[in-house]
Amino acid sequence: MVLGALATRDWRPMHHDYDFAVNRNGTQDIFLNTPNQAAWFERYVTDWTGPKGRLGRMKFRMKGSVYPKDRMVFTATVEDVSTDDTGCGWVSLLVTLAVDGVTKTDCSVRVALPTAPDDNPWARRGDQWQP
């Protein structure tokens, strides 16, 4: 958690200083910061899609904090599959991060996937890319 906060240049003490987090903020411990959490969601989705998956949009809502020693469990549900006017294939996902069965964050993701063996969403530029 501390390295994730430092890597994202988030110097706010509630992400690395136990005393500050507990005694000044009233939380149970330091907690996962927003950019680090975004990176975990991106990694989960791109591990699922493989190297040709290209994130179009991602929006998440944190409902609770993630603390050290929490076991994060990610799950996803495919909500929609479509092809846009340019022929780009899209999958809409609802990804959840849960700790002990309690959802801490919901994340809506729109990710481009190849529609054919020779298709590559990363090659799309200009009007061909409509995330």
Side-chain angles (χ1 to χ4, degrees):
M1 267 185 213
V2 172
L3 292 177
L6 295 175
T8 59
R9 297 182 178 184
D10 186 345
W11 313 120
R12 292 191 269 166
M14 65 278 268
H15 300 302
H16 62 82
D17 183 331
Y18 176 84
D19 185 61
F20 183 92
V22 173
N23 297 320
R24 287 248 341 248
N25 278 10
T27 62
Q28 70 184 47
D29 205 331
I30 63 172
F31 51 93
L32 193 63
N33 74 338
T34 303
N36 195 358
Q37 202 166 134
W40 280 101
F41 279 110
E42 289 175 15
R43 177 67 186 262
Y44 179 82
V45 172
T46 57
D47 278 358
W48 177 71
T49 65
K52 288 190 178 180
R54 183 177 178 187
L55 290 171
R57 280 186 254 159
M58 186 172 79
K59 178 179 168 184
F60 60 94
R61 180 171 177 255
M62 295 183 288
K63 300 175 178 184
S65 297
V66 178
Y67 300 104
K69 299 183 184 175
D70 281 350
R71 183 172 178 259
M72 298 187 301
V73 177
F74 290 83
T75 56
T77 303
V78 174
E79 294 191 315
D80 187 49
V81 176
S82 62
T83 303
D84 68 19
D85 295 339
T86 69
C88 187
W90 292 98
V91 175
S92 295
L93 302 169
L94 176 61
V95 184
T96 59
L97 182 167
V99 173
D100 295 329
V102 176
T103 299
K104 299 295 180 173
T105 306
D106 282 327
C107 181
S108 297
V109 180
R110 185 171 189 228
V111 61
L113 291 173
T115 56
D118 62 341
D119 185 25
N120 183 353
W122 287 98
R124 295 180 176 276
R125 302 281 184 266
D127 292 341
Q128 297 298 307
W129 179 245
Q130 300 175 4

